[in-house]
Amino acid sequence: MEEVEREQDTARPITEREIEAFSVWLDREMKSKGVTIQQMADRTGITYTGIWNIVKGNTASPRQDTREKIALALGAVVPEQIEKEATEQSTPIPGYEWVDFTPSDLLTVPSESGIYVFYDITDRPVYVGKSNKSVQGRVKDHQTRFWFKYPLVVRGAFLAVSDPEMCDKIEIILIKFLGKHALMNQKGAVRDFQE
């Protein structure tokens, strides 16, 4: 009932006890200004799918530059509490930033070194990878693969790791932890290029 009331009353201010997700704020701003997902994509240079993933909450922690592009395109300022929450979600461990991205939209993919995970339409992790140079470059390589398409690859998450040795170790741990659930990391399923 509260969700229905909240949808109808888009002008209601956010109270201090409510911590709204960036996606909820974006959806409210777009509705209040009559802006469509396609218009946001045109204004920001982010793909329709990239904006759609953010609005729907699939990309829960978009990169800071992505949030800035969106705010600029709306002529709005992200409320301090929402910006703080987004920053805290992306950096739960000092020195390590965890952000979401849309794999089909290279503009949302970080260019730093680190670990990345692809998720399918059910939000199941299907692939774990790493790059000691640029995750954006690795994702670009993946885009040419036959399996790199909806619904198998819908969203991605990235952990910035600058130390190559640590990057290798975290990737191995994640692949072992996910086991058979990381579909594309199964032996013989995908053979990655060496950097």
Side-chain angles (χ1 to χ4, degrees):
M1 180 77 170
E2 185 180 330
E3 289 178 11
V4 173
E5 288 174 11
R6 186 169 179 132
E7 271 184 37
Q8 291 172 348
D9 184 14
T10 58
R12 183 171 68 83
I14 303 165
T15 65
E16 280 192 13
R17 56 188 192 92
E18 293 178 299
I19 297 178
E20 221 173 14
F22 182 80
S23 61
V24 175
W25 172 82
L26 174 58
D27 187 47
R28 285 172 49 118
E29 282 293 309
M30 287 173 57
K31 284 178 181 170
S32 73
K33 295 182 177 178
V35 177
T36 66
I37 291 175
Q38 185 59 58
Q39 289 169 328
M40 281 300 295
D42 293 342
R43 291 178 185 183
T44 61
I46 299 169
T47 64
Y48 181 96
T49 305
I51 297 293
W52 185 87
N53 273 335
I54 295 169
V55 169
K56 296 302 178 190
N58 296 332
T59 302
S61 300
R63 293 180 10 209
Q64 183 175 352
D65 65 328
T66 299
R67 296 191 309 266
E68 289 169 0
K69 283 180 189 176
I70 287 170
L72 183 64
L74 287 169
V77 175
V78 179
E80 188 178 320
Q81 185 62 34
I82 294 171
E83 186 61 38
K84 181 180 175 196
E85 182 71 17
T87 302
E88 287 173 358
Q89 282 180 353
S90 67
T91 315
I93 301 170
Y96 291 93
E97 181 182 15
W98 186 263
V99 295
D100 296 323
F101 63 89
T102 300
S104 60
D105 185 352
L106 287 176
L107 288 177
T108 68
V109 181
S111 58
E112 300 94 326
S113 62
I115 307 295
Y116 59 96
V117 180
F118 293 144
Y119 296 88
D120 70 8
I121 193 170
T122 66
D123 218 27
R124 175 179 57 174
V126 294
Y127 184 84
V128 175
K130 67 152 175 78
S131 175
N132 292 326
K133 295 178 184 169
S134 169
V135 168
Q136 193 175 68
R138 294 290 295 127
V139 172
K140 188 175 180 180
D141 288 341
H142 289 306
Q143 288 179 341
T144 63
R145 307 237 176 132
F146 74 93
W147 54 267
F148 190 91
K149 58 183 134 217
Y150 185 89
L152 188 57
V153 177
V154 175
R155 75 173 188 92
F158 166 76
L159 177 67
V161 181
S162 58
D163 178 352
E165 191 175 314
M166 181 62 76
C167 200
D168 292 343
K169 289 177 182 179
I170 293 172
E171 180 196 33
I172 290 167
I173 289 168
L174 284 175
I175 290 171
K176 286 184 178 185
F177 180 74
L178 293 174
K180 65 183 179 184
H181 299 290
L183 301 177
M184 303 315 294
N185 288 109
Q186 296 298 312
K187 191 170 185 173
V190 171
R191 179 168 278 138
D192 268 341
F193 304 114
Q194 292 294 319
E195 284 187 306

